Amino acid sequence: MTPASRFLTRPEPQTLRLTLDGVPVAARPGDTVAAALLAQSGAAFRETASGAPRTAYCMMGVCFDCLVEIDGRPNTQACMTVVRDGMTVRRQAGLRPLKGGRDD
């Protein structure tokens, strides 16, 4: 079941495409990944280690609630990343290792 979008449908044509966990998402040039995902469904972007759902909150790169994997790169802030055509976005679940950590 997909939650209803929190935003109104845009009147302008949507021209860029990305995928979220294999599902196509339409976006406009200049959108951030977080804006495109919120406009598409409003669903959670990730889960914490305890399983709590998280989605974009501050939309300015401060809170890290919008962390996703983009084109194979984990821990990427969706609110700070501009959409490119063909991006592959995946939700994150639980803790991810930091670059340079023991799990590298």
Side-chain angles (χ1 to χ4, degrees), residues 22-83:
V23 177
V25 175
R28 293 185 314 177
D31 280 353
T32 62
V33 173
L37 298 180
L38 286 170
Q40 189 251 358
S41 73
F45 293 9
R46 69 178 186 96
E47 290 182 359
T48 64
S50 65
R54 293 287 188 260
T55 192
Y57 178 70
C58 72
M59 296 297 284
M60 60 184 191
V62 176
C63 72
F64 298 96
D65 276 344
C66 65
L67 293 179
V68 292
E69 180 182 301
I70 298 178
D71 295 332
R73 185 176 181 185
N75 301 318
T76 304
Q77 289 178 284
C79 71
M80 300 300 291
T81 306
V82 177
V83 170

Side-chain angles (χ1 to χ4, degrees), residues 6-29:
R6 296 178 185 153
F7 299 94
L8 298 175
T9 304
R10 299 176 187 165
E12 300 89 12
Q14 298 175 335
T15 58
L16 300 178
R17 290 260 179 225
L18 62 119
T19 60
L20 173 63
D21 296 332
V23 177
V25 175
R28 293 185 314 177

